[in-house]
Amino acid sequence: MVSRDGSNPRGGDRTRRDAGSRGGSRRDRRRARQAFRNWSGHVHAHPHTLARPASVEALSDIVVRASVAGERLRVVGAGHSFTPVAAGGDVMVSLDELSGIVSVDESRRRVRFHAGTRLRDIPALLEPFGLALANQGDVNPQSLAGAISTSTHGTGLGFTGFAGTVTGLSLMGPDGSIRELSAESAPETFDLARVSLGVLGVVTEIELQCASAFDLIAEERVVGFAELLDGLVERMSEADHFEFYWFPHTDTALTKTNTRVAPGEAGPGHLAAAKTRSTWITLLDKEIVENQALRLAVELGARVPAVVPAINRTAQALVSDRMYRAAGHDVFVTPRRVRFNEMEYALPFTAGTEAIREIRETIEAKGWSISFPIEVRCAAADDVPLSTATGRETMYIAVHRFIKEDFDEYFRVLETILRRHGGRPHWGKIHTLAAAELRELYPRFDDFCALRARLDPEAMFGNRYTDSLFGLSRR
């Protein structure tokens, strides 16, 4: 066991606030406001306080002061959600200073983290213990608390999203005290709190079930789009991790199949020939090809939409098959420098293929010019009440628009298709659903709302957006 240390080695309280927030009336405190903008730039907020506490004690003080003042408080991580879920009008809190490992149970491969730990920092933290996150998505700037709270996921039918790997939580309530939650301690609250959108309180620590360190052998193949859809369920079922990207207006797709192997272990069959990818090749692929070339394409497409189909077909024709090997996190993650807005829905696994066909038909029928690819992934069923994969194997379909392009009609029309196939919206991505619709998608939705009312009766840990999600009216 690594010794538990709840303090932050950086020390000090880096709470930042405007001068008016130290005293005077509530109206005075709101005069000078801070600015918050999410990653895509679509969401703006102007809280009077942006706080960065460097200790749990400082965080508790911030929470209690907000509660006594009748103010609302939202916790923000990387601002990578495309909805206003983290935006706050009174107090916003970043947990960036509460970062790192709290303790490690090496025998059970369970690791407890401070909740502000960024996903990008976790591989280096786990490396000395020979451990890794069991699965990851394709971006990693998010805070761990943010990833858990919005049901963030990777791909692979043998693996749940992040929330399904949570084995313990520390949750701070309006009075600044902390509840320790696990399947053994307060199991009902723990069960519901694993995905909470931050409305139950401030998550301060998270324990995860990790995996032994592993490599991935990545196979990237260009295949015919119709052929891919005909065998999509089988491809996803047979792979450790599978996803694909399809550029609208083209007849092919880029598939990514990742196979897990222990470090130093040869891959099976033809995968044994996979070579470790060099740093320079990684830089070329991820930064030059996947980001700079895409930026040029979408910038041109935003100015001259009529050329988008030709650009997409040219880009797809230039993609070639390849196979390589690297540590798991290096294969999973690709930096995203080109900013976009995104909508993603979680569909029953076998319903995904038909929904994708409908999406293609709709894009062509509407005559839209769509420069960003559609991304399709999958995940195992889990038992987390507000997880997008609760109770069913899931196929995720994500659609994007460049930040300089209007997404409203595109997302609205495709959302109708995805909902018709039983989809649940990703909690951190754009959608139009409110409590009445969400209640029909989550069997334990009312249980969660009841827990929220009990833990936070004044709904201080919310905002107008989360109020709409959970049917709350607040003066």
Side-chain angles (χ1 to χ4, degrees), residues 111-159:
V111 181
R112 195 169 187 91
F113 297 92
H114 292 292
T117 307
R118 297 296 185 99
L119 299 184
R120 64 188 174 215
D121 297 329
I122 290 180
L125 293 171
L126 293 180
E127 184 178 11
F129 307 100
L131 297 175
L133 294 174
N135 198 7
Q136 280 191 254
D138 58 3
V139 294
N140 65 358
Q142 307 100 313
S143 70
L144 183 55
I148 298 300
S149 296
T150 56
S151 195
T152 296
H153 60 91
T155 190
L157 282 182
F159 304 89

Side-chain angles (χ1 to χ4, degrees), residues 333-348:
V333 175
T334 298
R336 300 298 184 198
R337 313 297 186 200
V338 183
R339 304 206 176 206
F340 52 82
N341 286 296
E342 181 176 359
M343 178 178 72
E344 183 177 53
Y345 263 73
L347 276 62

Side-chain angles (χ1 to χ4, degrees), residues 218-229:
E219 294 180 276
E220 298 181 1
R221 301 282 183 262
V222 177
V223 302
F225 189 63
E227 170 195 351
L228 171 64
L229 293 189

